[in-house]
Amino acid sequence: MKVTHLQSSTQLIEMGTIKILTDPWLTDGEYYGSWYHYPPFGDENIATLDYDYIYISHIHPDHLSEKTFKKLPFKKPVIIHKFDAKFLKRKIESLGFGVIECDNAVPFVFGNGGSITIYAADNCNPELCGK
């Protein structure tokens, strides 16, 4: 596995032949124009990104940047936790991307045999509260 830090919480994770772009916020002026990167990532770098999947941890704009999503070169599937509330799923779909929802603690297996396991982050242990 190889992890390349791009900006903020955005990483490119390579697991054999699978590449996952995580929490893409690569454009400047997030949070009503108040958050910027230094140094800037640049549109030319966004245009050359190579990935097979996108992973989004949660809906905050420094993890799901609408401006960045509109500049991504490929509309690849987006992997998210299967939250009880569907805000994140609907937001991603409104941007034209397909969504793969993963159940808590259940591995999602990629074609190359690698996998990702997401653990719940929606205010409770789903085993206890049913979310």
Side-chain angles (χ1 to χ4, degrees):
M1 179 187 304
K2 177 181 176 185
V3 178
T4 304
H5 175 73
L6 301 179
Q7 291 281 14
S8 189
S9 58
T10 307
Q11 320 294 323
L12 185 63
I13 301 171
E14 299 177 53
M15 297 186 306
T17 59
I18 300 293
K19 296 177 184 176
I20 305 168
L21 182 66
T22 69
D23 290 329
W25 167 40
L26 300 169
T27 54
D28 284 333
E30 203 55 72
Y31 276 112
Y32 306 104
S34 64
W35 284 19
Y36 286 77
H37 295 293
Y38 185 81
F41 192 73
D43 288 350
E44 66 282 354
N45 290 326
I46 294 173
T48 63
L49 287 172
D50 181 27
Y51 50 91
D52 303 296
Y53 295 88
I54 302 167
Y55 167 74
I56 301 294
S57 62
H58 61 287
I59 199 165
H60 293 164
D62 57 328
H63 296 263
L64 170 59
S65 166
E66 189 171 332
K67 287 169 53 176
T68 299
F69 260 75
K70 289 179 178 177
K71 293 183 178 200
L72 290 176
F74 307 110
K75 288 196 174 191
K76 300 290 184 164
V78 180
I79 301 169
I80 64 171
H81 169 66
K82 188 175 185 178
F83 291 102
D84 189 43
K86 299 300 176 190
F87 301 115
L88 179 60
K89 181 179 188 286
R90 287 194 303 261
K91 178 66 170 183
I92 294 165
E93 289 172 338
S94 77
L95 295 169
F97 289 77
V99 176
I100 299 168
E101 292 183 286
C102 295
D103 288 316
N104 180 62
V106 177
F108 173 78
V109 180
F110 300 105
N112 70 346
S115 67
I116 182 172
T117 304
I118 301 171
Y119 293 93
D122 50 353
N123 300 324
C124 73
N125 176 340
E127 310 291 320
L128 302 176
C129 71
K131 284 188 177 182

